[in-house]
Amino acid sequence: MDYSRFLSVVSASRQGNPERLTHDVAKKIPSAIMLSGDMPNPNSFPFKTASFTIDDGTTIEIGEDLMKRALQYSETSGIPELLSWLKDLQKSLHNPPTANYSPDQGQMEICVTTGSQEGLCKVFDMLVNPGDNVLLDDPNYTGTLAALKALGANIVRVPSDKSGIIPKALKDILFKWRPENGKKPKFLYIIPNGSNPAGISLSTDRKKEIYQLAREYDFLIIEDDPYYFLQFVKTKAPTFLSMDVDGRVIRSDSFSKIISAGLRLGFLTGPKPLIDRIVLHMQVSTIHTSTFTQASDLDLLQTNGLILVVEFYRAQRNTMLAAADKWLKDLADWYVPTAGMFLWIKIKGISDTHQLVMEKALEKGICLVPGRGFHRDSSEPSPYVRASFSFASPIQIDQAFQKLAELIRENMKC
Ligand SMILES: Cc1ncc(COP(=O)(O)O)c(CNc2cc3ccccc3n(O)c2=O)c1O
C-alpha cells in the first residue's frame, strides 16, 4: 500500500532525530564506549533494587543491573525484550497476515506507548489534517472525540445499533460520497469490544463486511481495543488485525485494565511505514515510555503471563445487572454488555440526563457520566448515563441504583 495519502502534513514532514538514531544504534553494540548520549551516570540513580509482592504471594525482584537499566533512557519504540514479547503475543492471538510481509508491504511493527491514549493521540496526529473526514459511530469515547475535534477533523457519524456499526449504512455513506463532500475519509475508528460508553461488541460477520469496505473504498481502520481481555464470551471474535491482508489496520492495545492504569503501558501494532512515523513523533515528545514501567511490566508478564481478570469483571457486571433489574426495571432500558466495563442506561421520561447526573446524583454521592458528552455534538441532549461496574463494591452498586431510582421518580413528578 502507498501510505502517503493518509499522512498529515506535519507527519509527512517529520525527520529522524540524529541523536536518537545514534543512541538506538549504539545500544546494539554493548561494548561501545558511550560518549554520544545525554545519559545520566547510572551510579547516580537513587534506587538500587526493588521487590514487588504480587497477589499470589510471590515476589518479583529488580536487581542492581536491571534497576540501572530501568532508570535509564531506552529505545524509542520500546525495550527490545518487551517488543519481542509483544510481537509473539500478537502473532499468537491474532496471527496477522502482515507478520510475514516485507517492510514496504506493510510488515507488522509494534511501538510501546505511554498508555493506549498516547498511541491514539499520535495516530490521529499522524493522519489528520484540519478538515479531513473521519468515520466514527456515535456515541463514542470522549478521549478520541476530544483529540479529533482539536485536530479539526470532520467526524462523519456512521449509524450503529446494539450490535455495533451497521455495514450497509457505512456502505451507503461511502457509495454516495461526492467530491463536494471533500476528500474521501482516511480512516474508520472503532472500539470493537465492550465499546466505551455503549458496551457494544462487533460481530465477526460485521467486521468482515467492514474490512471489505475498507479495501473497496481504501480507508484505514483504527482498532482501539482496551477491553479485548475483558470479553465475557466463550469465543472471542477475530480482530481486524487478524484479517488485515492489506496492511490497513492500526491496532491499539492497553495494559490499563489487566495490569495497571497508573503504570501507563499500551502499544500500537500496525504497518511498519506508519509505526515508523509514530516513532519519529515520539522521539520529539516523550522520547520513550518509562523504561521502569516497561521493565517491571515485562518482568511480571514473563513470570506470570497475562493475568486474566475477566472473571472478576464478569461478576461485577452481573452485580450491576442484578441491581438494575431490582431498582430500574420500569424506569430505564439497557442491554447486557458482552465485554468491557460499562452499562449504557437509557432513562425513561427524560430528554437529557446532564442535570440529573451532574447535580442531583452528585448531591447524593453517586458518580455517573451523562450521555451527551459521548456524542460528536456534546450540546445534543441525551437520555443516557454511563455506569461503570469496574470500581464500586456490590453493596455500593446496589445503593447507587436505589438512589438513582429515587432521583428518577422525583424527576418524573416535576
Ligand atoms: C476506548 C478507550 N480507548 C483508550 C483509552 C485509554 O486507555 P489507557 O490505555 O489507559 O491510556 C480508554 C480509557 N478510557 C477512560 C480512561 C479514563 C481515565 C481517567 C478517568 C476517566 C477515564 N474514563 O472515563 C475513560 O473512559 C478507552 O476507554
Side-chain angles (χ1 to χ4, degrees):
M1 274 182 65
D2 173 11
Y3 295 102
S4 56
R5 110 165 168 84
F6 297 105
L7 297 182
S8 66
V9 169
V10 169
S11 182
S13 64
R14 290 194 190 280
Q15 304 292 322
N17 171 348
E19 204 172 321
R20 288 303 296 162
L21 287 173
T22 313
H23 179 275
D24 289 351
V25 169
K27 290 279 286 183
K28 293 185 173 77
I29 312 166
S31 59
I33 298 173
M34 296 298 286
L35 303 180
S36 59
D38 169 38
M39 297 190 294
N41 191 295
N43 296 318
S44 70
F45 293 146
F47 306 129
K48 301 304 175 192
T49 64
S51 172
F52 300 104
T53 305
I54 49 184
D55 58 5
D56 65 2
T58 55
T59 56
I60 289 179
E61 308 292 338
I62 294 190
E64 285 208 31
D65 289 345
L66 181 55
M67 182 62 87
K68 284 182 178 176
R69 197 169 157 227
L71 298 181
Q72 186 55 273
Y73 287 127
S74 56
E75 292 79 356
T76 301
S77 57
I79 61 175
E81 300 88 335
L82 178 59
L83 283 176
S84 173
W85 195 92
L86 293 173
K87 281 181 181 173
D88 290 344
L89 178 72
Q90 297 301 65
K91 288 175 186 173
S92 67
L93 292 178
H94 313 294
N95 188 27
T98 52
N100 305 309
Y101 286 11
S102 64
D104 58 350
Q105 272 184 312
Q107 181 183 63
M108 180 190 87
E109 186 57 275
I110 286 182
C111 174
V112 174
T113 58
T114 302
S116 62
Q117 189 67 50
E118 185 205 9
L120 292 169
C121 179
K122 286 190 162 65
V123 166
F124 300 143
D125 284 350
M126 171 177 66
L127 300 175
V128 179
N129 289 314
D132 279 352
N133 293 297
V134 297
L135 300 159
L136 276 75
D137 62 343
D138 190 280
N140 218 305
Y141 168 45
T142 51
T144 291
L145 292 171
L148 290 173
K149 287 176 183 174
L151 290 168
N154 175 44
I155 296 174
V156 178
R157 287 198 287 198
V158 184
S160 59
D161 56 24
K162 66 179 183 175
S163 299
I165 281 182
I166 303 166
K168 187 181 178 316
L170 176 57
K171 185 175 178 68
D172 282 353
I173 290 170
L174 296 162
F175 178 73
K176 292 172 183 169
W177 199 269
R178 293 292 175 269
E180 56 268 27
N181 301 130
K183 282 188 286 182
K184 291 192 307 179
K186 287 186 174 183
F187 62 83
L188 167 72
Y189 165 88
I190 191 159
I191 308 164
N193 296 300
S195 70
N196 181 353
I200 288 169
S201 297
L202 200 60
S203 69
T204 304
D205 289 346
R206 287 196 175 188
K207 282 182 181 172
K208 289 178 178 173
E209 286 183 72
I210 289 167
Y211 188 79
Q212 288 313 314
L213 288 171
R215 305 192 76 187
E216 188 178 346
Y217 291 93
D218 190 24
F219 57 86
L220 302 178
I221 294 173
I222 314 301
E223 181 175 43
D224 178 16
D225 206 0
Y227 307 106
Y228 175 79
F229 295 104
L230 269 55
Q231 296 183 66
F232 310 127
V233 291
K234 282 195 177 59
T235 311
K236 291 185 175 73
T239 58
F240 282 110
L241 184 66
S242 72
M243 53 184 77
D244 186 22
V245 289
D246 286 349
R248 60 176 69 247
V249 173
I250 301 174
R251 177 178 170 81
S252 177
D253 281 282
S254 171
F255 285 106
S256 288
K257 319 304 180 189
I258 54 175
I259 294 185
S260 154
L263 281 174
R264 306 308 297 130
L265 189 67
F267 63 103
L268 292 172
T269 308
K272 182 171 172 51
L274 292 177
I275 297 297
D276 286 352
R277 289 280 126 197
I278 299 287
V279 171
L280 289 179
H281 187 174
M282 205 168 279
Q283 283 180 355
V284 297
S285 66
T286 56
I287 299 184
H288 58 68
T289 292
S290 156
T291 318
F292 185 85
T293 286
Q294 294 185 65
S296 46
D297 278 19
L298 176 63
D299 218 337
L300 177 68
L301 290 165
Q302 286 175 328
T303 310
N304 268 44
L306 281 172
I307 303 165
L308 298 181
V309 294
V310 66
E311 290 314 318
F312 169 79
Y313 288 107
R314 185 201 307 278
Q316 287 286 106
R317 178 203 65 173
N318 294 344
T319 297
M320 182 166 273
L321 290 170
D325 280 333
K326 179 177 171 185
W327 299 108
L328 302 174
K329 191 167 263 174
D330 304 324
L331 305 172
D333 292 313
W334 61 90
Y335 42 77
V336 176
T338 57
M341 293 182 156
F342 307 113
L343 194 61
W344 188 232
I345 304 168
K346 184 175 186 180
I347 311 292
K348 291 179 181 174
I350 190 167
S351 60
D352 187 46
T353 57
H354 193 267
Q355 188 183 23
L356 177 77
V357 170
M358 300 308 287
E359 291 175 22
K360 296 174 184 171
L362 275 181
E363 283 163 14
K364 294 212 172 219
I366 311 168
C367 287
L368 294 157
V369 187
R372 70 183 192 193
F374 295 101
H375 293 297
R376 176 187 64 179
D377 178 357
S378 56
S379 64
E380 270 177 28
S382 168
Y384 286 90
V385 295
R386 187 192 76 175
S388 170
F389 47 78
S390 62
F391 194 81
S393 70
I395 290 174
Q396 289 174 322
I397 290 172
D398 188 75
Q399 288 170 341
F401 279 13
Q402 180 180 10
K403 290 179 182 174
L404 180 60
E406 289 165 12
L407 285 172
I408 296 169
R409 288 197 172 86
E410 286 166 18
N411 186 69
M412 284 175 167
K413 288 173 190 161
C414 301

